[in-house]
Amino acid sequence: MTKPNKKRTHKPLFIACVLLFSSLCAHAANEMESNAENDKKNRVSLGDDVAKADLPMERSLTGFENLNEELSLWEFGAGGGAFYSPKYPASGDSRSFGLVLPFIVYRGETFRIGDGGGARAVVVENENFEIDFSFGAALPADSEDNSAREGMPELDFLAEIGPQMIFKLGDYDFDKNTQGKSTGTNLGKGRLDLRLQARAVFSTDFGSIDDRGFIFEPQLSYQHRGFKHEDTAITVSFGAIFATERTHDYFYEVSPEFATPERPAFDAKSGYLGSELSLGVSFKVSEDIRAFIGSSVQLHSQAANKDSPLFEKEVTYSIAAAFVWRFYKSEEKAKW
């Protein structure tokens, strides 16, 4: 497989960003610890009609247990579903596929898997702030079935790893007012977070690993549990992605050897990649089966490389329907 090899590098810039990110993490952690009481008073307020809830930072609101139940340390099962998504950002071609995979949850004090947060290693954590190292992935895409990339190298499996800061902006109890009195509703509880993610990106055909640059993604995320039914969960998020040139090269660069009259050579640049607005709903089917339905819209109208011949659509969308079937949960409980 032929893969372009560019000499341009963004490592000095990334190292500076990581140092700045680490400095901000340390400063923010110190500030959060020393001003915890003040922070409680300064969260985003929804007015006098909505009370503050008590929702721990580390707890996902989309899982099996109710908000007042203890969580098991280990869980095993299977999960799967049907998915529809673009082949790469701003692609005019989409793919539909199904997956069935093992379902594993581990809720250690430092390392955690599943439970709505992927895989992450927690470095700093208190009730309002968390620093961790998180992981992400994207499936490969065949160029043979993609008219814009026909004859070009395939897009391999992508993996991402890097630090993440999570700030709790607010937690809300919609069934009580700020005086703690019941409002007589059945609207549930919610939490608003700000997530700042910086990740290194790698691609692999499982024969070699290639550096694909770095991305930075600020994201607002809102989780809600118990709207009209205690087991119903809703997640809404909006995030913007910025990437180095090497990442944009992977999706949008056309080197001279792959240029055609319909696909002229193009030199990609760093900058804004796109934004995504997502909505997901989950609900209990039985004691150990939970279903998920979700969709998202990807917006690329102001992307840095919209002039690339590989950039086809300013708006794309994804749809998913999935389930999780839990076979086993440990008697031992998580310690946090």
Side-chain angles (χ1 to χ4, degrees), residues 20-74:
L20 176 60
F21 190 92
S22 301
S23 176
L24 288 172
C25 287
H27 176 73
N30 291 334
E31 288 295 314
M32 287 289 184
E33 292 287 357
S34 61
N35 297 298
E37 291 302 319
N38 288 334
D39 184 75
K40 292 179 183 178
K41 299 176 183 178
N42 295 327
R43 292 177 185 167
V44 176
S45 172
L46 297 183
D48 293 337
D49 294 331
V50 178
K52 174 187 172 299
D54 184 16
L55 300 174
M57 271 287 293
E58 70 282 347
R59 179 147 188 173
S60 170
L61 308 189
T62 63
F64 283 95
E65 274 68 35
N66 294 328
L67 296 179
N68 58 350
E69 289 186 70
E70 286 187 289
L71 299 175
S72 299
L73 180 63
W74 284 96

Side-chain angles (χ1 to χ4, degrees), residues 24-326:
L24 288 172
C25 287
H27 176 73
N30 291 334
E31 288 295 314
M32 287 289 184
E33 292 287 357
S34 61
N35 297 298
E37 291 302 319
N38 288 334
D39 184 75
K40 292 179 183 178
K41 299 176 183 178
N42 295 327
R43 292 177 185 167
V44 176
S45 172
L46 297 183
D48 293 337
D49 294 331
V50 178
K52 174 187 172 299
D54 184 16
L55 300 174
M57 271 287 293
E58 70 282 347
R59 179 147 188 173
S60 170
L61 308 189
T62 63
F64 283 95
E65 274 68 35
N66 294 328
L67 296 179
N68 58 350
E69 289 186 70
E70 286 187 289
L71 299 175
S72 299
L73 180 63
W74 284 96
E75 294 181 11
F76 299 99
F83 307 88
Y84 174 88
S85 67
K87 289 191 171 181
Y88 62 89
S91 172
D93 291 319
S94 299
R95 58 187 170 192
S96 301
F97 59 96
L99 279 178
V100 176
L101 296 170
F103 164 69
I104 301 174
V105 173
Y106 175 68
R107 302 185 178 98
E109 294 187 66
T110 299
F111 189 67
R112 297 169 191 173
I113 303 173
D115 201 26
R120 65 192 200 277
V122 179
V123 179
V124 175
E125 179 181 59
N126 61 43
E127 64 177 19
N128 304 308
F129 178 70
E130 179 181 313
I131 302 173
D132 62 37
F133 277 84
S134 59
F135 308 85
L139 294 175
D142 293 333
S143 296
E144 294 179 0
D145 300 325
N146 188 299
S147 56
R149 295 188 59 88
E150 185 177 359
M152 294 185 66
E154 295 181 356
L155 296 177
D156 295 327
F157 182 87
L158 285 179
E160 303 172 3
I161 180 173
Q164 173 180 232
M165 290 193 296
I166 306 175
F167 300 86
K168 182 192 285 188
L169 300 183
D171 48 359
Y172 313 103
D173 188 338
F174 292 91
D175 296 322
K176 295 180 181 180
N177 59 27
T178 52
Q179 287 74 43
K181 297 179 180 178
S182 174
T183 57
T185 59
N186 187 21
L187 301 179
K189 299 178 181 181
R191 183 176 68 217
L192 178 66
D193 294 333
L194 171 64
R195 298 169 181 260
L196 301 177
Q197 299 173 340
R199 289 177 172 174
V201 184
F202 303 93
S203 67
T204 179
D205 57 3
F206 299 99
S208 62
I209 298 177
D210 294 304
D211 170 21
R212 297 302 178 184
F214 309 95
I215 63 172
F216 174 69
E217 181 178 5
Q219 181 190 81
L220 278 174
S221 175
Y222 178 76
Q223 292 185 54
H224 192 98
R225 179 73 177 240
F227 182 77
K228 299 302 179 181
H229 194 283
E230 64 180 3
D231 294 319
T232 301
I234 301 170
T235 302
V236 181
S237 65
F238 179 78
I241 301 176
F242 302 85
T244 59
E245 183 176 351
R246 196 179 293 275
T247 307
H248 284 273
D249 285 346
Y250 187 62
F251 296 122
Y252 304 119
E253 179 109 339
V254 180
S255 59
E257 62 186 300
F258 298 115
T260 67
E262 295 78 23
R263 186 177 62 208
F266 184 81
D267 185 16
K269 59 185 178 181
S270 62
Y272 175 62
L273 181 63
S275 299
E276 183 172 40
L277 176 64
S278 301
L279 171 65
V281 179
S282 67
F283 52 91
K284 181 186 287 187
V285 177
S286 69
E287 187 64 28
D288 290 308
I289 300 178
R290 195 164 180 85
F292 302 82
I293 301 172
S295 63
S296 64
V297 177
Q298 298 86 36
L299 309 171
H300 304 282
S301 61
Q302 301 300 317
N305 293 289
K306 63 182 301 182
D307 294 330
S308 168
L310 303 180
F311 184 104
E312 298 179 282
K313 284 190 174 183
E314 293 187 353
V315 179
T316 58
Y317 64 93
S318 303
I319 302 172
F323 74 94
V324 171
W325 187 356
R326 183 175 62 184

